[in-house]
Amino acid sequence: MYIYNFEDGNKDMRDILGGKGAGLAEMTRLHLPVPKGFTISSDSCLKYLDDNKFFDELKPEIDEKINELELKTHKTFGYGENPLLVSVRSGARVSMPGMMDTILNLGLNSETVNSMIKKTGNSHFVLDSYRRLIEMYSDVVLGLPKGSFGEILNNMKKEKGYTKDSELTDDDLRLLISKYKENYKNLTGYEFSENSKELLYNAVKAVFKSWNTERAKVYRKLNEISDSYGTAVNVQEMVFGNLNDNSATGVCFSRNPVNGKNELFGEYLTNAQGEDIVSGVRTPSPIAKLKEDMPNVYDEFLSYAKELERHYKDMQDMEFTIEDGHLYILQTRNGKRTAKADVKCAVDMVREGIITKEEAILRVDSNRLDEVLHKEFNEDDLKGHEPIAKGLAASPGAAYGKVYFSAEDIKKAHDDGEENLILVRTDTSPEDIVGMKLANGMLTVRGGMTSHAAVVARGMGSCCISGCSDIEIDYDKKLFRVGKNIVHEKDYISLDGSTGNVYVGMIKTEDAKASVELQTFMSWCDDIRKIGVRANCDTKIDAENAVKFGAEGVGLCRTEHMFFTDERIFDLRRMILSPNEEIRKESLKKLEEYQRKDFLDIFSVMKERPVIIRLLDPPLHEFLPKKEEDIKKLAKSLDMSIEDIKKEIDEKKEFNPMMGHRGCRLDVTYPEIGRMQADAIAKAAIDAKKMGINVVSKIMIPLTISKKEYLFVKDIIVNELDKVMKDEGVKFDYKIGTMIETPRAAILANTIAPYADFMSFGTNDLTQLTLGFSRDDSPKFINSYIDNGLIKKDPFKSIDTEGVGKLVDLACRLARLANPSIELGVCGEHGGDRDSIEFFSRIGLNYVSCSPYRLLNARCSLAKAAIKEKMD
Amino acid sequence: MYIYNFEDGNKDMRDILGGKGAGLAEMTRLHLPVPKGFTISSDSCLKYLDDNKFFDELKPEIDEKINELELKTHKTFGYGENPLLVSVRSGARVSMPGMMDTILNLGLNSETVNSMIKKTGNSHFVLDSYRRLIEMYSDVVLGLPKGSFGEILNNMKKEKGYTKDSELTDDDLRLLISKYKENYKNLTGYEFSENSKELLYNAVKAVFKSWNTERAKVYRKLNEISDSYGTAVNVQEMVFGNLNDNSATGVCFSRNPVNGKNELFGEYLTNAQGEDIVSGVRTPSPIAKLKEDMPNVYDEFLSYAKELERHYKDMQDMEFTIEDGHLYILQTRNGKRTAKADVKCAVDMVREGIITKEEAILRVDSNRLDEVLHKEFNEDDLKGHEPIAKGLAASPGAAYGKVYFSAEDIKKAHDDGEENLILVRTDTSPEDIVGMKLANGMLTVRGGMTSHAAVVARGMGSCCISGCSDIEIDYDKKLFRVGKNIVHEKDYISLDGSTGNVYVGMIKTEDAKASVELQTFMSWCDDIRKIGVRANCDTKIDAENAVKFGAEGVGLCRTEHMFFTDERIFDLRRMILSPNEEIRKESLKKLEEYQRKDFLDIFSVMKERPVIIRLLDPPLHEFLPKKEEDIKKLAKSLDMSIEDIKKEIDEKKEFNPMMGHRGCRLDVTYPEIGRMQADAIAKAAIDAKKMGINVVSKIMIPLTISKKEYLFVKDIIVNELDKVMKDEGVKFDYKIGTMIETPRAAILANTIAPYADFMSFGTNDLTQLTLGFSRDDSPKFINSYIDNGLIKKDPFKSIDTEGVGKLVDLACRLARLANPSIELGVCGEHGGDRDSIEFFSRIGLNYVSCSPYRLLNARCSLAKAAIKEKMD
């Protein structure tokens, strides 16, 4: 059986009937006024796409269902005095708005047009419907140029001096129909068929085929929808919102999809068909007006909306048609909404007793929760702006500003008192950090979701679009091109980091506020989740945000980020290149003072919450200067020749820096760096203690490969901490642990665990090494992998559970066997990704750590995970 | 008990007694004429170094043993009429020649000097011995400047007009002794002690302490000797080769250590002490002369030498002294020898019934077998040359030639008809390949044993010294500096790739020939080893060498190496940068023709032996030009602007190319490349078939991460192979397999194995990814790891069995579970390393593959592994 009457299906049959079909079936079951019809299953689509001959098998079943529909409606299809007209609409398992095609008014032909005119007494309506059928069929089913029909219509209107379609007389329409048919014949070589069945078959096939159009494929890829679903086809008796002035058609949400308020939100047009709303030729009325115009119909609709909401336990997005005063519901589905509305709906529905807290949590799209906190475009201002390019939504929030093409230019503009600056670059590097901090938003051509720009931006909570390969920067001319658009320096652009959309011009932004509902919702999540949430914080501001957004500690403090100011990086560079012991010691002393202050800042915000500080991680050469003036300054200060400095810089360069001289390898070769950091941590902890804060400093050794190496570095740190405690006569608690980032450390976690208080999985590096995918280089080929179905998702966005996840799971088991009290967490970018978090919860980590702006997502995702685990 | 009399020990007590002590004990047990004495164990050394106070515990035991020695020799120590004189010598578990210190003639003081004169009637000898004691003690025990004593002696000789020490009269010597003592007092503030016990204690302590001198540490590091062994101390009754003209001292090997002939090989000096031989002031006589001078003593020595050889089952290196016609053996140990001698000795000893074949195989140092095949310095010519620098012995063999600092200059010199060229560079890149091929040898400043230069050189069998950080290149001035030496372009240098030594000037080289003994030895190895041996071959010459050195197939043919000629790389570049389909196809067609010929060349040499061809592996940007002229040429040919070409090159650059767009990722994004290669392989196989060779082409997909990816690429290849077979109407056998190089592929080997005929572990990449150690960058920090005992060996030289090895082992088990008939091998650099090969044999791989010049080593190592496994 490939076809189901609406009365034979239900809402749980989405996989077979598609979303629309399941909705129509369910509403039929609920005895809502749904025009009768049937759904051709999505299996049929797949079978047809696999082998066209399958249609021969399907055809008799379609005929049978049309017969049944004729009996139920007391109408006849394609002939007779009471003709049956049907619509053919696609409907996949997952909503794909605008992606699939619709054909209306099937069943009209020369004979039935006359019957319909007789029956309705509205010849204009019937003739116009037939005209539309010819045009729509030609366009949608045969792909004939739409313009050629539009031209015929426009020519006629011009000739006659009409401005509106409604001015066309019946004769005009009849002439138009014959001209359309003539055009059809010219384009195809065939007459437009009088056989309605034939048109119906072709319409069904066209819907099937539309599953594989380019735009459908692209939409599915962007939305991670499987190609293997196929689409169902709904064949339904027509009802007419354009029958007369007592008719109308409209769309309506059961609640406000922008702010979530419990009120009908929608619009309608009297005497119109659905496509008239979409086309935007006439301006629809707000739904509230229906209450005045047709109070009974409004009340009836409201009661259906509430019923559907209670039935589906979710806010509904409905389509309806009023035919001569009779209300019909043509579609219902869960309504898309903003993150803000999502939370409010969920919380309200719990209070209204429609859903449970658990259902509310499972419902809310945690990945979008961050949006609630970031700047957003002013809605009114956004209207009328079309994106000129789309990149990766790397760091959420909205921003506008003047374009600059270098961090220095941003700094200069800032110093000149300019505000609202946008940095546009091919990619960014640590040198750009000052400019990045001053920019409202960043747009990069290269780099993925975890590129330097993306990570820094998310950390700072500022907006970033990365990997926007549509744009082409010309640094010399200070402009970028995208298609035909050219954007010069100081031109305004606007970025939406939540969608990846780039706009020309200034779109005003406004602050998002944390609503009461959000607070309530998050507290429910916290009650339900089983594992801890910490934040990645490098600065006091990060720490403050972390506390604000609910972090229970700092899971990762990247000490290298503390050096990215002019003064500090200068001293760091002096230390790295120091030609003698004396200068090295002097520079280390300075760096220690900076760090001591940094740590104290964070401690004073985090109070007794645990703070995991990671020892210096990146290769030292990353800190070395590239600019001539910086090199000069350094040479002067070190009393070295510029040539020698350059030579040193050159010698320190690496072929594969990710696998180079970094992480705890730095402490093995330069133990004085580790000692300096331990010193700073110890002194900051003592400072904090004197302020009455009992800090638990957790020191994390990065990029470990073995027990011996770990113990070697641990000894350096512990000796220094103990020394400071002894010298200062103050004791404080500390823990030492390590980051598991190399496959070697993962498979040998049992050997390291007995000596570690905690382990944190650095899943960024672990992903790089396990797959051999460089984070920065893989964007060049990762799309080929996704397009060819070789991987499902970018493994830097969502953890590769099968490979990297297997290693993490294995390492956890090994570590716990060797040290049952060890604390296990994760602090890679995956700590802020919904699917990854569910995985981490399932394998029983103690906590996840993510950037402060991902905390809401993390807390909610963890709650979801806990609920799902309970259900399993 | 810390001290053992010689008669209480034996040869198996090396760990406690050291090599020398164990040898003395064993010879004593064999009743050879060994002066009596005792050995202070190496434990004592470690205890003393740990805590100086330990000596108080040791002292009574020394006293006791001296007492016993007095009783045994009927002499008294430090007093009396028949005084006991002893030597104190170090002797660690492993031979450390020249590293530790010796003190002779302890027991002499003002009193015993007189007794000795009375006893021997040779006052000159006794006084001279005392003088030497004072000097030696001052130098070795106290570290006083040796020159100050030499100066006193020289002044006196000058004053008196003497040229030789022997001209000194007794009075001169007495005066000299008092002047020495005066100098001693001036330098130390104390009198030279008359208490011989005190001098003995201090001598023992000095030997203990010499374990930790810088040169000892460096020696141990270079020779991979543990710091935790400590040294034993041998205290032994003095015998005097300098007593009279019927006395002598000498060193002798039981066989020729250069060529392995069964003949005594050594030299001696009459009337001399050991140090006189070492100092080289007098020229010693060859051992054959002893047969004329003292035929009885010679015969006695020869019989001892044979006895020791049979006893130790190895060629012996002995020290002896003849005191007034009496022969004493002072030391025996296994003799160091050349690789050539090593093989001949082993084979001869098997034939002589001294050892079994298995013992012979275990004995031979397989890592050095390659030396037998490479060019070597003419021995005579080598004499008198001191190395000016030492780098890594990256590719064995010797070479001399004129220095050039760029591959182009080498090419130019070659084109000008010059021969014998040496390339000296900071490091090399694929662009240098032409120059590298033309050079006799290469010397690089950077890079380890697996750097580009090293790998290429080993592959070509040419000599290479890499990582020679002593030298500093000035490209502008076309010279390099090392210490005070400056070597200009066109100066001659000589390189020994087997030792890492760099010499100034020309040292002639000669061809090494494979001896009959070598052939015999290798056939024994082949009989015993259990697993296969293949070679890594990229050219016909490689393949010919491989067959010559016993390869059973090609384990790795790196197709990218085939593109490194001007013409071919040009077409490859055109393909990579092709602006349109047409040019791409045209370039691919050309490349296919090249490859087809290459493969046929290799097939025609390897005949029916399996040939594993790896699909293109390196990132494409590695092939792109750097030189302006190459860019220009390319731009012209592609009708593109130079700017555009540069932009393309820039865009293709990668941050971490090792984890970049390479391996089978190239086939995923550019399936046409895989298709081209499959095409070339198929056509070559058909060509071969037409020549009567039934090739089994094995195609290897590199850098796999998953089953899906593997199958995707496999499908591309298989379809193409099948297509060519169909088109040409000829069938041939092929197999498809993959390289396991990513940790992900290793832990998921069971998912891939069912679809693979074979798997080869690419342990270079696997090591990089498992440890996160970039092969090219790790030399910067790997020494710190070795120095601090964090790793034992460079994991790129010898496989990290604990980490990488664990993954390989795991992957093997997983793969065999899923596909019991799968063939498993290894083709990384580790395939040619002795320790790694033993590991691979143990975990049961089917074969190892290495560069042709490592085949002897591989075959021998595998035989060793098989023998050891049998013994376990």
Side-chain angles (χ1 to χ4, degrees), chain A residues 427 446 472 647 651-661 665 668-669 705 708-709 712 742-744 747-748 768-774 776-777 780-781 784-785 788-790 800 802-803 806-807, chain B residues 427 446 472 647 651-661 665 668-669 705 708-709 712 742-744 747-748 768-774 776-777 780-781 784-785 788-790 800 802-803 806-807:
Chain A
D427 45 30
R446 277 163 56 160
E472 202 185 324
K647 212 170 108 191
E651 266 177 21
K652 288 198 157 55
K653 267 187 199 145
E654 297 188 303
F655 297 103
N656 294 284
M658 276 294 176
M659 301 191 289
H661 193 177
R665 295 162 198 175
V668 171
T669 47
I705 59 161
K708 277 191 186 169
E709 178 199 48
F712 182 85
T742 64
R744 195 181 196 278
I747 61 174
L748 295 170
Q768 295 198 86
L769 293 173
T770 304
L771 279 74
F773 273 22
S774 160
D776 294 310
D777 303 313
K780 279 186 197 153
F781 54 83
S784 291
Y785 274 74
N788 287 308
L790 305 185
D800 157 35
E802 211 184 322
K806 189 174 178 181
L807 269 184
Chain B
D427 45 31
R446 279 161 55 160
E472 203 184 323
K647 212 170 109 191
E651 266 177 20
K652 288 199 157 54
K653 266 187 200 146
E654 297 188 304
F655 297 104
N656 295 284
M658 277 292 176
M659 301 191 289
H661 192 177
R665 295 161 199 176
V668 171
T669 47
I705 59 161
K708 276 191 188 169
E709 179 198 47
F712 182 85
T742 64
R744 194 180 197 280
I747 61 175
L748 295 171
Q768 295 199 90
L769 293 173
T770 304
L771 278 76
F773 274 22
S774 159
D776 295 309
D777 303 312
K780 280 187 195 151
F781 55 83
S784 291
Y785 274 73
N788 287 308
L790 306 185
D800 156 37
E802 213 183 319
K806 190 175 176 177
L807 270 185

Side-chain angles (χ1 to χ4, degrees), chain B residues 90 96-102 139-140 146 206-207 209-223 225 227:
Chain B
S90 67
M96 290 173 62
M99 287 296 123
M100 308 300 294
D101 296 304
T102 298
D139 167 32
V140 173
K146 211 175 173 177
V207 173
K209 281 188 272 190
S210 76
W211 177 254
N212 274 343
T213 55
E214 243 359 85
R215 59 176 185 165
K217 284 185 186 168
V218 169
Y219 182 89
R220 285 200 294 275
K221 202 181 111 190
L222 285 175
N223 291 277
I225 298 169
D227 284 341

Side-chain angles (χ1 to χ4, degrees), chain A residues 16 25 40 46 91 103 105 110 174 221 253-254 271 294 376 395 404 406 410 569 571 608 626 736 761 775:
Chain A
I16 304 171
I40 306 173
L46 297 174
I103 302 110
N105 301 327
S110 302
R174 286 186 204 277
K221 202 182 112 191
F253 289 83
S254 61
N271 203 350
M294 307 185 192
E376 51 197 24
S395 181
Y404 286 95
S406 80
I410 290 271
I569 206 161
D571 283 310
E608 257 91 62
K626 283 171 199 153
I736 313 279
F761 291 92
R775 192 167 74 174

Side-chain angles (χ1 to χ4, degrees), chain B residues 84-151:
Chain B
L84 170 66
L85 304 195
V86 299
S87 63
V88 168
R89 284 191 180 91
S90 67
R93 187 185 303 195
V94 180
S95 167
M96 290 173 62
M99 287 296 123
M100 308 300 294
D101 296 304
T102 298
I103 303 110
L104 301 177
N105 302 326
L106 282 161
L108 280 182
N109 54 29
S110 304
E111 181 187 340
T112 52
V113 160
N114 291 328
S115 320
M116 280 296 285
I117 292 173
K118 260 186 223 156
K119 185 185 154 196
T120 61
N122 187 339
S123 51
H124 185 277
F125 149 69
V126 175
L127 290 168
D128 190 53
S129 295
Y130 193 38
R131 172 189 74 80
R132 286 175 191 241
L133 169 64
I134 299 169
E135 185 176 341
M136 205 180 260
Y137 182 92
S138 303
D139 167 32
V140 173
V141 177
L142 299 180
L144 304 182
K146 211 175 173 177
S148 63
F149 293 93
E151 208 180 342

